[in-house]
Amino acid sequence: MNVPLATRRWSLWPCSGIAPLIVTICVAGPVHATGFAIEEQDAVALGTAQAGRAALADNPATVFYNPAGMTRLSGTQAALSGIYIGPTGDFDNAGSSLGAVPLTGGDGGAFSSDAFVPTLYLTTGVSERLKLGIGVSVPFGLGTDYDPDWVGRYHTIEADLRVVNINPAIAYRLTETLSIGGGIDVQYLDAELSNAIDFGSLLGFPQALDGRATLSGDNWAVGYNLGLLYEPSPRLRLGLTYRSRVKHDVDVDADFDAPAAAAPIQAAGLFTDTGGSTEVTLPESVSLSAYYDVTPRWALLADVTWTRWSRFDELAVEFDNPLQPAIVEEQDWDDTVRISLGAAFRPTERWVLRAGIAYDESPIPDEFQRPRLVVGDRVLVGVGAGYRLSDTVRLDIGYMHSFSEDVEVDISNPGAGRLVGDYDDLGANLFAAQLSVRF
């Protein structure tokens, strides 16, 4: 980035404060999800830690996990879920500094925001072989809120994101053992993010005259998903599903709140409200699942999911203000594999009990861990139960806990300083309830 020497320090501040925020437009909670996906889309899959999700196909949530599974559903059905995500985590400062001076401020407080994720799925049969469905879900999301005067305020303060996915789908049973399906993912992305700016360093009073930058943006984009369901016997099902990448061309509004003393800096054309643009690509994934009835009461489930997080190799931001130089920030994420194993037990005709365990890799290399998104390798443990209230109504509940490794952060950005510290006690508690109805 070629920037005149006189303005180089000023122009890099958006790199440490504004541009990094844009990547969090597609990031889920910093201590729950690997990368930024919200994988848990119904109470049933939550109880098995996602094991067998593309092969289970026993409720309308299969619209999301594998549209081909709709061929197993009869009549018209609906499933409404509510999923609560309660992340945990603490940051411990370990000598953060701005030049040769220690950064002031605390450790950020309870920075991980709780979230409630609703989902709704509907399916219906056109014929014995042809099925239609639609799902409304939140496959990506973010909620972080550090104390405004914390030690890493020049890197990030607040991030709020929602990605709503509307997914019409169709499925067809080709033979008695093979079904195919597909759908369109219509996504709406909306985000607002903020960080502090150290105007005091430019005016000779480091860390004494903070301003604030707030970035917001939204966008509609379209992707697709495909699925296969193979049933070689009444006891065994294999599901294969693919979700495409979704590319969002995001128009952003950058708003700068500066102290009165910084008026000459803004008069020169820097840190003035401006528009901008960036590209955010939500990665594609492939899942292979199995479901097997060992006995009439016991079933085993498994899943392997690959996600192409390596699409995040860099972040590039263009500003409409010609005096605000473009930003390029290296990301260099890795592809990941999640492995899940689970079991289901039916003690009676009305009850089913579930449990599962999963291992999920972090896509973020150690040197690119940042406070707006802290992700370590994690182990997921889930339990759940289902109860059939009647021939047409079923209630499912699920609980899952996420155990994450501790994460060290050591990053430096001009204007934001060097943030050094440890993220401990990372994890999350997830609770879900779901009502399924057949009409």
Side-chain angles (χ1 to χ4, degrees), residues 39-316:
E39 299 286 352
E40 297 74 28
Q41 295 296 318
D42 77 324
V44 176
L46 191 73
T48 63
Q50 304 298 308
R53 64 182 195 166
L56 186 58
D58 73 341
N59 74 87
T62 193
V63 169
F64 181 88
Y65 295 123
N66 184 355
M70 290 190 293
T71 60
R72 290 184 51 83
L73 305 181
S74 61
T76 298
Q77 299 192 30
L80 175 64
S81 284
I83 304 166
Y84 166 79
I85 303 174
T88 61
D90 298 303
F91 174 75
D92 296 316
N93 182 28
S96 301
S97 60
L98 183 64
V101 180
L103 276 164
T104 62
D107 288 341
F111 60 88
S112 301
S113 301
D114 295 354
F116 178 76
V117 179
T119 64
L120 174 64
Y121 302 99
L122 300 170
T123 61
T124 190
V126 177
S127 67
E128 287 297 318
R129 292 183 176 272
L130 180 63
K131 310 290 181 175
L132 301 177
I134 189 169
V136 181
S137 61
V138 183
F140 301 93
L142 170 67
T144 56
D145 189 3
Y146 291 86
D147 293 340
D149 58 350
W150 84 293
V151 69
R153 61 193 178 277
Y154 303 128
H155 293 269
T156 186
I157 296 177
E158 187 175 0
D160 181 43
L161 157 78
R162 287 170 299 275
V163 174
V164 177
N165 191 75
I166 303 171
N167 182 188
I170 186 171
Y172 187 76
R173 183 176 290 277
L174 295 174
T175 69
E176 292 304 311
T177 60
L178 181 63
S179 299
I180 60 173
I184 301 297
D185 293 308
V186 182
Q187 290 186 352
Y188 175 70
L189 179 152
D190 178 69
E192 182 173 317
L193 311 107
S194 65
N195 66 277
I197 299 178
D198 181 19
F199 285 99
S201 286
L202 291 176
L203 300 170
F205 306 96
Q207 304 185 65
L209 292 171
D210 283 358
R212 187 159 176 149
T214 300
L215 184 147
S216 59
D218 60 1
N219 185 65
W220 286 92
V222 177
Y224 64 92
N225 59 306
L226 302 171
L228 292 172
L229 185 67
Y230 179 54
E231 304 172 79
S233 76
R235 298 170 61 182
L236 176 64
R237 298 194 292 275
L238 301 174
L240 178 65
T241 186
Y242 169 81
R243 301 193 73 86
S244 77
R245 67 170 184 165
V246 180
K247 179 183 175 184
H248 286 270
D249 295 314
V250 183
D251 293 327
V252 297
D253 293 318
D255 298 318
F256 297 94
D257 182 12
I265 299 174
Q266 290 187 307
L270 292 168
F271 302 112
T272 60
D273 294 351
T274 182
S277 62
T278 188
E279 294 180 358
V280 176
T281 301
L282 308 182
E284 60 266 56
S285 63
V286 178
S287 294
L288 176 63
S289 295
Y291 175 94
Y292 181 64
D293 279 316
V294 181
T295 72
R297 293 186 180 275
W298 282 96
L300 298 179
L301 305 93
D303 178 86
V304 177
T305 295
W306 170 85
T307 305
R308 192 179 179 183
W309 292 115
S310 59
R311 285 197 177 276
F312 281 87
D313 57 350
E314 70 174 19
L315 168 68

